[in-house]
Amino acid sequence: MSAPVKRAQVISSQVSSSQAEDRVDWKKRKAEVKEAQKQRNEAKLIKQLEKQKQQEAAEKAKLKQTQHRKGRAYTVSVALPGSVLDNAQSTELRTYLAGQIARACVVFCVDEIVVFDEQGEDVKSVEGEFKGVGKKGHACIQLARILQYLECPQYLRKWFFPKHQDLQYAGLLNPLDSPNHMRMDDESEYREGIVLDRPTKQGQGSLVNCGMRKDVRIDKQLQSGLRVTVQLNKTQNQENKLYKGVVVPPHVPRTEGGLYWGYTVRLASCLSAVFSESPYEEGYDVTVGTSERGSNVDQTTLSPFKHLLVVFGGLQGLEASVDSDQNLDVTDPSALFDLYLNTCPGQGSRTIRTEEAILVSMAALRQKITAAFSDVSSDLLKS
């Protein structure tokens, strides 16, 4: 009986030693798997960081290339009635519609947006608020206010746009992401800023908040609260507490730096005021009206211009704006414009909404604008 017992003990000891070896191997394998996973995660993180660095380098190179591009002397303006907001069914949709218009204008580098009242009422301020769908609200004022809010760089909005009912849903809109909307660490020759209310020594310029980690000391003493365009010095001493720069006119990034620098917003009391109250000394030298009754845009060419104006009608077209304007003696809208164009010939829908018309029309005119200046030096067009 002793021999079988010994064999059983030997087998039992072999099984227990084998199980022990299995446990040791399993722990070792688990550690190896954990280490391999850690290495994979590290490699993945390194790859992501390298990709992010490449993207940042590409963006910086693109920005520098854009800044060294030849300046653009001409301007493009868009005019539309504020009543387009009345076609929206709620305050949220009104706000979103304004955001679509702003996005369309920025995509095609529009320099000025004119909001006119096609009813001919005298609206020249931005005081007022929307009173609700179905009631007579200040559509022109609300549209202008939202357009201004979106154009303003994010770091400046708290200074210039206090809480207002018209802007209740503006924070949900898609950002314009135009070149003048800089991040904190973005490198650029130009910046938008606000003059700070801080005491400075005699002979020294004001301090400006340009959305960077340091404030900028400019070359002039200006009133606090003003929005200014600052051209930063090319060389900065990183050890100084302040950056240095000079104040330049808002058009300089466009005319000298070749950058699209956002749009301005102007309110007009009627259609005729769009032309008569132009901010340019000589007015608009080329005006374009858009209508399905106009000529085919594909068969039209543009000559070089200084200031181009493209006008869009509301729900009832430009005819309604002409009829309600007491300053106009014409009945045919085409008589007001140098070109009266159908920018979407053969349209499939009975109507084209204004926000759609802006995209369609500016896309159709983009190549014609480029062709007009392809062989002409922009320097010849400077005022």
Side-chain angles (χ1 to χ4, degrees):
M1 293 297 294
S2 62
V5 171
K6 289 182 179 180
R7 284 199 298 271
Q9 292 175 348
V10 171
I11 293 172
S12 176
S13 63
Q14 290 177 348
V15 171
S16 61
S17 62
S18 176
Q19 290 176 348
E21 290 177 0
D22 289 343
R23 285 196 298 271
V24 172
D25 292 341
W26 175 251
K27 290 180 180 179
K28 185 177 179 181
R29 183 184 174 191
K30 190 174 180 180
E32 291 175 352
V33 170
K34 191 174 182 179
E35 182 65 24
Q37 182 65 33
K38 183 179 178 181
Q39 292 178 357
R40 284 196 298 270
N41 292 339
E42 291 178 353
K44 186 177 180 180
L45 181 60
I46 292 174
K47 189 175 180 180
Q48 289 178 347
L49 291 175
E50 291 178 351
K51 186 177 180 180
Q52 184 178 355
K53 288 181 179 180
Q54 291 176 356
Q55 290 177 347
E56 291 177 354
E59 289 179 358
K60 289 183 179 180
K62 185 178 179 181
L63 183 60
K64 288 183 179 180
Q65 183 180 3
T66 304
Q67 291 178 344
H68 290 300
R69 190 189 305 165
K70 197 172 185 179
R72 173 168 65 89
Y74 66 86
T75 65
V76 178
S77 300
V78 163
L80 72 158
S83 60
V84 296
L85 293 191
D86 292 331
N87 200 29
Q89 289 79 18
S90 65
T91 51
E92 294 92 333
L93 291 177
R94 286 170 71 101
T95 305
Y96 186 73
L97 175 57
Q100 286 181 302
I101 293 172
R103 284 281 306 172
C105 290
V106 167
V107 165
F108 291 101
C109 300
V110 172
D111 302 294
E112 180 194 26
I113 302 178
V114 187
V115 181
F116 65 91
D117 192 339
E118 64 178 353
Q119 301 300 325
E121 296 180 359
D122 190 12
V123 179
K124 292 187 178 181
S125 71
V126 291
E127 296 299 326
E129 59 187 23
F130 173 55
K131 298 180 180 178
V133 176
K135 300 179 181 179
K136 187 177 181 181
H138 299 283
C140 294
I141 295 174
Q142 185 183 20
L143 177 57
R145 181 178 278 113
I146 296 175
L147 292 176
Q148 288 179 332
Y149 175 85
L150 290 175
E151 187 277 334
C152 183
Q154 287 88 337
Y155 56 86
L156 295 180
R157 289 176 181 172
K158 64 181 180 180
W159 304 94
F160 296 107
F161 293 93
K163 187 177 180 181
H164 195 280
Q165 188 176 355
D166 287 349
L167 302 174
Q168 182 179 0
Y169 300 101
L172 302 177
L173 295 177
N174 298 321
L176 300 186
D177 205 21
S178 54
N180 62 332
H181 288 199
M182 300 288 180
R183 280 78 170 176
M184 180 177 290
D185 296 320
D186 284 351
E187 296 181 4
S188 177
E189 183 179 359
Y190 302 96
R191 281 263 185 173
E192 289 290 295
I194 180 173
V195 180
L196 299 175
D197 185 13
R198 293 185 185 175
T200 56
K201 295 181 180 180
Q202 186 68 25
Q204 293 185 347
S206 301
L207 298 181
V208 178
N209 180 357
C210 291
M212 299 187 292
R213 299 186 184 277
K214 301 178 184 178
D215 293 331
V216 181
R217 184 180 296 282
I218 56 177
D219 57 326
K220 297 179 180 179
Q221 188 76 33
L222 299 178
Q223 181 181 354
S224 62
L226 289 178
R227 177 177 170 178
V228 293
T229 303
V230 177
Q231 183 176 12
L232 298 172
N233 294 354
K234 294 184 178 180
T235 56
Q236 301 283 352
N237 189 348
Q238 300 299 328
E239 296 181 357
N240 291 343
K241 295 182 179 180
L242 300 171
Y243 291 128
K244 292 185 178 181
V246 296
V247 175
V248 296
H251 65 79
V252 169
R254 169 180 58 85
T255 56
E256 297 183 8
L259 288 169
Y260 172 64
W261 209 244
Y263 55 77
T264 59
V265 180
R266 176 165 66 92
L267 279 169
S269 58
C270 54
L271 179 58
S272 59
V274 174
F275 303 91
S276 62
E277 298 175 1
S278 172
Y280 308 111
E281 184 176 354
E282 300 177 359
Y284 305 103
D285 46 355
V286 176
T287 57
V288 178
T290 59
S291 172
E292 60 181 3
R293 301 173 182 84
S295 305
N296 192 330
V297 68
D298 299 330
Q299 302 171 0
T300 305
T301 58
L302 288 177
S303 58
F305 54 84
K306 290 183 180 180
H307 307 293
L308 172 68
L309 172 66
V310 185
V311 183
F312 298 90
L315 188 62
Q316 299 176 351
L318 285 172
E319 289 79 6
S321 302
V322 172
D323 293 340
S324 61
D325 194 336
Q326 298 178 358
N327 299 322
L328 298 176
D329 297 330
V330 299
T331 56
D332 185 4
S334 61
L336 298 175
F337 304 98
D338 299 318
L339 298 171
Y340 199 57
L341 302 178
N342 180 2
T343 56
C344 188
Q347 64 192 58
S349 175
R350 294 188 184 91
T351 58
I352 295 181
R353 299 173 63 88
T354 303
E355 67 272 19
E356 298 167 344
I358 295 175
L359 286 170
V360 172
S361 302
M362 299 309 297
L365 293 172
R366 185 186 65 85
Q367 290 185 342
K368 299 183 182 299
I369 294 173
T370 304
F373 292 95
S374 59
D375 299 326
V376 179
S377 173
S378 297
D379 295 334
L380 298 177
L381 298 174
K382 289 184 179 180
S383 301

